[in-house]
Amino acid sequence: MLLIMGGGAQLIHWPDEFCAELVDRGLQVIRFDSRDAGRSSHLSGAPVVDMSAALAGDLTTASYDLSDMAADTVALLDALGFDSAHLVGLSMGGMIAQTMAIEYPDRVRSLTSISSRTGAPGVGDADFGAIGPLGPEPHDRQSYLDWQIRFSRATASPGFAFDEAAVAATAGRAYDRGRDHEAMMRQFVAVLASGDRTAQLNSLRVPTLVLHGADDLMCDVSGGRATAAAIPGAKLVIFEGMGHHLPRELWPTFADHIADLVHLGETIP
């Protein structure tokens, strides 16, 4: 099973204890840093992103798109010697997983899309009114940690406990492993450059699970509903009180749903 993390996030953002829940259910878990994240390759020489232009439709400063990131994921499978895998993607990671299922269907045994979207306009949009006042990420370590705590609190799950100490610890590890401010912008524009996947998702014939929080401010729940509606036979599970993160209280439930899907995928030739 490949766990694909979201924009600006690293493999360590999949909590060890959550991975242990999956392992306890008989799954072999592989985490990795996508390009421009953590200790993966960083495109430091790429053009500086013009975010205003990108949001207006001018994507000339995009250095890559989700198809490139899906190809990276396939290359990882090749390097590890696996013909195919079960995919679990969170946020942008869900979009990468969707793209891989579309473009490399023989490499995907099942697809779990969490807190993600189809790329269709007006579907799964972020509430920038809630996060805009936070301003851009600071560059020095302590200010970055403080900003991450504020951001995580703003986008977390109102129905579940907020673990500030865990957020701070993970943010510190992420900063030290390979924080790259421009990389986050490159990944964001990669999403914009990839367009609407709805029509291609209609053609998928892979066991699919869609998990989403009803209170997600970074990716409105309409993104999850649209994803499940687009993929034939997809199972949709919406969690009340869940925002744009994986509440610790739900880890066993998530793992149960994912393991059930994987076992279904293993029964399909």
Side-chain angles (χ1 to χ4, degrees), residues 60-173:
T60 55
T61 56
S63 298
Y64 50 87
D65 60 16
L66 295 176
S67 291
D68 295 312
M69 301 184 84
D72 292 344
T73 310
V74 171
L76 174 62
L77 280 183
D78 290 342
L80 295 174
F82 293 115
D83 291 332
S84 60
H86 300 273
L87 306 184
V88 178
L90 174 67
S91 193
M92 184 190 72
M95 303 176 205
I96 296 171
Q98 293 171 26
T99 303
M100 183 172 163
I102 291 167
E103 299 182 0
Y104 305 91
D106 58 325
R107 308 302 297 270
V108 179
R109 299 189 67 82
S110 73
L111 167 64
T112 299
S113 181
I114 307 174
S115 304
S116 196
R117 54 181 293 182
T118 63
V123 173
D125 289 340
D127 181 358
F128 290 107
I131 59 178
L134 296 172
E137 291 182 356
H139 289 270
D140 70 277
R141 191 179 191 277
Q142 187 56 55
S143 296
Y144 172 79
L145 266 60
D146 294 340
W147 185 93
Q148 280 291 337
I149 291 170
R150 294 195 303 274
F151 178 87
S152 297
R153 189 182 296 277
T155 59
S157 302
F160 298 90
F162 179 73
D163 191 341
E164 180 174 319
V167 170
T170 302
R173 289 177 64 200

